[in-house]
Amino acid sequence: MTKTVLLTSFQQSRQDQGQDPYLRFSISRWQPAGFAYPELSFLAPWDAAGRPIRLRDFAGSLSGYHDALWQRLVEQRDKVEEFLDYLSEYSQFALCCWCPYSRPAQRQIKQFGTFVCHSMVVKPFLEQYPGVSVQLDDDRRTRAVILSGPVSEEAH
């Protein structure tokens, strides 16, 4: 059975609730007030020491940010696989984060017309798994910076 994963924002997930079949999860470091989705911390932007992985910590280097996120996902591969196995009876689920409604994402949109989101690294990582199809909400499809696959050998 193909699993359809929707990458979306908390805000959009609330608007769509009751109108779609998606089981919702948080892949954020924390959730906005009023949300209590099950948390998938292994897909959130945390490093191995529990510190946030943020674009600003890489002096705006997309490749450095991407590689740190990718490496962390590689380290968490067992948990990702457990999650996918656990959800074997479900075919559709949504992974939610703040973007593009967080302050940093809003600043990026204002300045560049696009935003950087860790979910755009989660996308190619999940797409490596057979039977997993990843879809993007309108915000990600039209304004997110594409961060795909490892961009340097050190990220493998």
Side-chain angles (χ1 to χ4, degrees):
M1 168 190 326
T2 299
K3 293 181 191 314
T4 301
V5 179
L6 173 66
L7 298 176
T8 191
S9 66
F10 286 105
Q11 183 170 324
Q12 188 63 47
S13 75
R14 178 169 280 160
Q15 291 172 2
D16 294 342
Q17 204 157 18
Q19 301 172 30
D20 65 42
Y22 291 99
L23 187 60
R24 291 161 170 75
F25 296 90
S26 169
I27 61 167
S28 188
R29 290 190 298 265
W30 62 89
Q31 299 184 50
F35 287 86
Y37 295 160
E39 295 182 7
L40 304 179
S41 60
F42 53 88
L43 294 177
W46 296 108
D47 70 13
R51 294 180 301 254
I53 299 172
R54 300 175 295 211
L55 179 60
R56 70 179 181 226
D57 296 331
F58 296 90
S61 165
L62 290 177
S63 62
Y65 176 69
H66 173 274
D67 283 0
L69 291 168
W70 188 271
Q71 182 58 43
R72 187 63 181 143
L73 290 169
V74 168
E75 293 167 3
Q76 299 289 333
R77 184 179 303 277
D78 290 346
K79 291 179 182 175
V80 172
E81 291 170 0
E82 280 179 35
F83 171 71
L84 293 172
D85 289 343
Y86 173 74
L87 290 177
S88 61
E89 69 271 17
Y90 297 99
S91 62
Q92 297 178 310
F93 50 98
L95 303 181
C96 307
C97 77
W98 287 75
C99 296
Y101 302 98
S102 66
R103 282 188 300 256
Q106 288 295 301
R107 280 192 302 268
Q108 292 168 19
I109 290 169
K110 187 176 180 179
Q111 185 174 0
F112 304 109
T114 59
F115 66 96
V116 174
C117 178
H118 83 286
S119 68
M120 298 303 287
V121 179
V122 171
K123 180 184 186 301
F125 191 82
L126 291 178
E127 287 175 331
Q128 298 179 104
Y129 292 94
V132 175
S133 169
V134 181
Q135 298 178 355
L136 304 174
D137 67 3
D138 287 340
D139 289 318
R140 281 161 184 70
R141 199 171 28 258
T142 60
R143 297 187 291 178
V145 174
I146 304 298
L147 301 170
S148 59
V151 291
S152 72
E153 287 303 310
E154 297 83 46
H156 290 263

